[in-house]
């Protein structure tokens, strides 16, 4: 029998033969209906004499034929040559079915499985840019583009001296140190440091043209690093300086000179005086500065000085448990995380006594109640 056409109608894929007979595949139930109108086990037997390439040529909707061909190729290592098996796999590619139906599959980064995004997740302006500038759309690109669509859209509508499409793409995706869910350096410069999208693109063009900087993954990271350091020193810095590399070196030098001051200020802000409580003849004391922790390390012969950065980063708190009668005499060094003592040691990292443990238990009970009340 000669197949005239193959087409989709509602939940069915219909195969029309020249003699007026048809067979169908029901996507809802994953069943095949033969030419006699009854369910059949194998659709392939109804289509004897046709290989898959010949079947694809019979489809009215060429986009749908390309979609099924993609499923076939994606599963080629499993020997998928049966049309029925291919149709059984269609539900596993719902998002890609939409993308193929829209005819934009050539713009999408395709792997051997369905995409994690639907066609509705892709901004129309991004589809337009991808078509005009030969860009491959991925979930990561969609995520970054949505954060600042206007800033990315305008990138392709400016008159540059030397900046090109590849430079724009690498700048937009220049996020090597960040994960999938991070917004990227370009977006962070706008959101966190007040950069203007248009001005930043023109500045990048200037850096390429006048300063011969061409590695845009590197450049956007360096601009971000420059903004991070300078904003710590003062918010009145030049966002688009001439001689960028020299300016960046000077910024590094100034930042490193002042770094200790910044860290000391941050350390003092991290100290939680709420933890300074007493139990019987014990008292919990917070360090007033980083030097207090260094002194504790010397008196206790332990490594608590290495925890200074963790305190600055907000990962933990360091406390000193001492006797009320002699608060200047080092006794027990304590690490607190999430309102709970997680480490408490005497000199030379010796364990605490039962009496010491009573005070520690009191602290944990007290702040556990306060945590639950909050």
């Amino acid at each position: 029998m000669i197949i005239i056409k193959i087409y989709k109608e509602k939940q069915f894929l219909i195969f029309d033969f020249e003699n007026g007979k048809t067979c169908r595949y029901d996507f809802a139930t994953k069943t095949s209906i033969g030419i006699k109108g009854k369910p059949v086990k194998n659709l392939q037997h109804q289509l004897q004499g046709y290989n898959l390439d010949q079947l694809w040529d019979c489809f009215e909707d060429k986009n749908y034929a390309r979609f099924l061909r993609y499923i076939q190729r994606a599963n080629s290592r499993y020997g998928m040559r049966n049309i029925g098996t291919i149709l059984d796999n269609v539900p596993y590619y719902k998002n890609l079915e939409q993308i193929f139906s829209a005819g934009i599959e050539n713009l999408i980064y395709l792997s051997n499985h369905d995409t994690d995004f639907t066609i509705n997740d892709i901004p129309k302006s991004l589809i337009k840019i991808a078509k005009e500038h030969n860009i491959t759309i991925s979930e990561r690109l969609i995520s970054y583009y949505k954060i600042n669509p206007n800033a990315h859209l305008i990138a392709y509508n400016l008159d540059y001296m030397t900046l090109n499409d590849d430079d724009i793409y690498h700048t937009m995706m220049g996020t090597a140190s960040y994960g999938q869910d991070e917004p990227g350096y370009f977006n962070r410069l706008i959101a966190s440091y007040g950069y203007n999208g248009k001005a930043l693109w023109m500045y990048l063009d200037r850096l390429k043209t006048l300063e011969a900087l061409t590695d845009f993954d590197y450049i956007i990271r360096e601009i971000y690093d420059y903004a991070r350091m300078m904003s710590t020193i003062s918010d009145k810095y030049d966002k688009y300086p001439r001689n960028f590399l020299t300016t960046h070196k000077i910024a590094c030098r100034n930042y490193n000179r002042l770094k200790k001051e910044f860290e000391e200020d941050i350390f003092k802000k991290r100290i939680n005086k709420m933890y300074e409580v007493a139990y019987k003849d014990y008292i919990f004391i917070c360090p007033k500065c980083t030097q207090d922790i260094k002194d504790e390390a010397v008196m206790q012969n332990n490594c608590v000085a290495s925890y200074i950065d963790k305190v600055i980063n907000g990962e933990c708190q360091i406390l000193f448990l001492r006797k009320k009668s002699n608060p200047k005499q080092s006794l027990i060094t304590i690490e607190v995380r999430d309102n709970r003592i997680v480490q408490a040691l005497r000199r030379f990292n010796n364990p605490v006594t039962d009496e010491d443990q009573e005070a520690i238990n009191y602290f944990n009970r007290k702040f556990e109640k306060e945590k639950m009340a909050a």
Side-chain angles (χ1 to χ4, degrees):
M1 291 186 295
I2 299 175
I3 297 176
I4 300 175
K5 61 180 178 180
I6 304 172
Y7 57 96
K8 199 174 178 202
E9 188 176 274
K10 295 182 179 178
Q11 71 194 59
F12 299 101
L13 186 66
I14 301 174
F15 301 78
D16 279 352
F17 294 93
E18 188 179 41
N19 62 4
K21 294 184 178 182
T22 66
C23 62
R24 294 174 294 162
Y25 178 86
D26 188 338
F27 285 104
T29 60
K30 288 189 175 182
T31 57
S32 302
I33 311 298
I35 58 176
K36 294 182 180 180
K38 296 181 180 181
V40 295
K41 185 177 180 180
N42 194 335
L43 185 62
Q44 190 74 22
H45 290 163
Q46 305 291 305
L47 306 172
Q48 286 183 356
Y50 285 88
N51 60 38
L52 290 176
D53 288 335
Q54 291 170 325
L55 290 176
W56 306 146
D57 290 338
C58 294
F59 273 76
E60 281 191 333
D61 185 345
K62 300 305 179 184
N63 287 344
Y64 200 75
R66 285 195 295 273
F67 168 59
L68 295 180
R69 189 191 296 270
Y70 166 79
I71 295 178
Q72 174 199 352
R73 290 174 177 171
N75 294 276
S76 60
R77 62 176 175 167
Y78 303 113
M80 191 176 288
R81 301 294 300 171
N82 187 306
I83 182 66
T85 307
I86 293 172
L87 297 178
D88 286 345
N89 277 268
V90 165
Y92 302 118
Y93 297 87
K94 290 180 181 179
N95 295 339
L96 274 177
E97 183 175 0
Q98 298 174 346
I99 289 167
F100 272 87
S101 179
I104 62 169
E105 72 278 2
N106 60 312
L107 304 177
I108 308 298
Y109 174 75
L110 298 176
S111 57
N112 288 338
H113 52 77
D114 200 12
T115 61
D116 293 324
F117 55 89
T118 69
I119 192 169
N120 293 326
D121 292 327
I122 311 173
K124 291 181 180 178
S125 56
L126 179 55
I127 293 175
K128 182 175 183 292
I129 289 174
K131 287 180 177 179
E132 293 176 352
H133 299 275
N134 194 30
I135 294 172
T136 300
I137 297 174
S138 63
E139 184 180 11
R140 183 175 166 188
L141 178 59
I142 294 170
S143 174
Y144 297 159
Y145 184 87
K146 281 184 173 180
I147 295 172
N148 272 307
N150 291 335
H152 295 307
L153 180 60
I154 199 174
Y156 294 94
N157 293 283
L158 296 172
D159 291 327
Y160 300 114
M161 292 181 284
T162 55
L163 205 68
N164 58 42
D165 287 358
D166 284 343
D167 298 332
I168 293 171
Y169 181 80
H170 285 296
T171 299
M172 194 186 306
M173 300 294 282
T175 55
S177 68
Y178 290 109
Q180 173 77 18
D181 298 329
E182 293 291 342
Y185 292 110
F186 189 94
N187 289 327
R188 282 172 171 264
L189 284 167
I190 295 172
S192 302
Y193 298 110
Y195 278 70
N196 173 272
K198 179 180 178 180
L200 185 51
W201 287 120
M202 298 308 294
Y203 181 58
L204 291 167
D205 181 43
R206 195 173 89 196
L207 292 181
K208 180 179 182 181
T209 308
L210 303 180
E211 300 189 30
L213 301 179
T214 56
D215 183 347
F216 282 85
D217 284 342
Y218 167 77
I219 294 170
I220 199 65
R221 289 198 301 269
E222 289 297 281
I223 294 175
Y224 177 82
D225 186 56
Y226 166 78
R228 178 186 60 81
M229 290 187 295
M230 293 303 293
S231 64
T232 305
I233 298 171
S234 170
D235 60 1
K236 294 179 168 50
Y237 65 97
D238 183 0
K239 292 184 173 67
Y240 315 100
R242 294 178 181 274
N243 303 312
F244 173 72
L245 292 181
T246 300
T247 305
H248 183 264
K249 287 180 181 178
I250 294 172
C252 288
R253 184 188 65 194
N254 292 339
Y255 178 79
N256 288 328
R257 283 176 177 173
L258 299 170
K259 187 176 180 181
K260 289 186 178 180
E261 293 179 26
F262 301 146
E263 289 181 344
E264 196 66 42
D265 288 342
I266 294 171
F267 179 88
K268 290 177 180 178
K269 290 177 182 177
R270 297 290 190 200
I271 299 305
N272 190 346
K273 290 288 186 179
M274 174 182 72
Y275 291 144
E276 292 196 325
V277 295
Y279 175 77
K280 293 184 178 179
D281 60 341
Y282 287 94
I283 185 170
F284 292 86
I285 298 173
C286 293
K288 296 181 177 64
C289 59
T290 58
Q291 187 60 47
D292 286 351
I293 292 184
K294 294 173 185 176
D295 292 342
E296 177 81 356
V298 172
M299 291 187 288
Q300 291 287 85
N301 285 98
N302 62 26
C303 62
V304 70
S306 66
Y307 283 70
I308 291 174
D309 285 341
K310 293 180 181 180
V311 175
I312 290 171
N313 293 333
E315 296 176 33
C316 68
Q317 292 272 335
I318 296 298
L319 302 179
F320 310 140
L321 181 58
R322 296 175 179 176
K323 292 288 188 177
K324 288 181 182 178
S325 58
N326 193 3
K328 292 185 178 181
Q329 178 61 47
S330 180
L331 181 64
I332 297 169
T333 309
I334 286 173
E335 178 189 358
V336 177
R337 288 178 183 260
D338 196 24
N339 280 358
R340 185 173 181 80
I341 294 173
V342 296
Q343 190 172 195
L345 295 167
R346 280 178 166 258
R347 194 180 183 200
F348 300 115
N349 287 334
N350 285 324
V352 298
T353 66
D354 290 343
E355 189 179 6
D356 301 334
Q357 189 63 48
E358 280 188 34
I360 292 167
N361 293 341
Y362 165 79
F363 181 100
N364 285 338
R365 287 195 302 270
K366 174 179 174 60
F367 289 103
E368 179 63 26
K369 289 178 182 178
E370 294 191 10
K371 181 180 176 182
M372 292 175 65

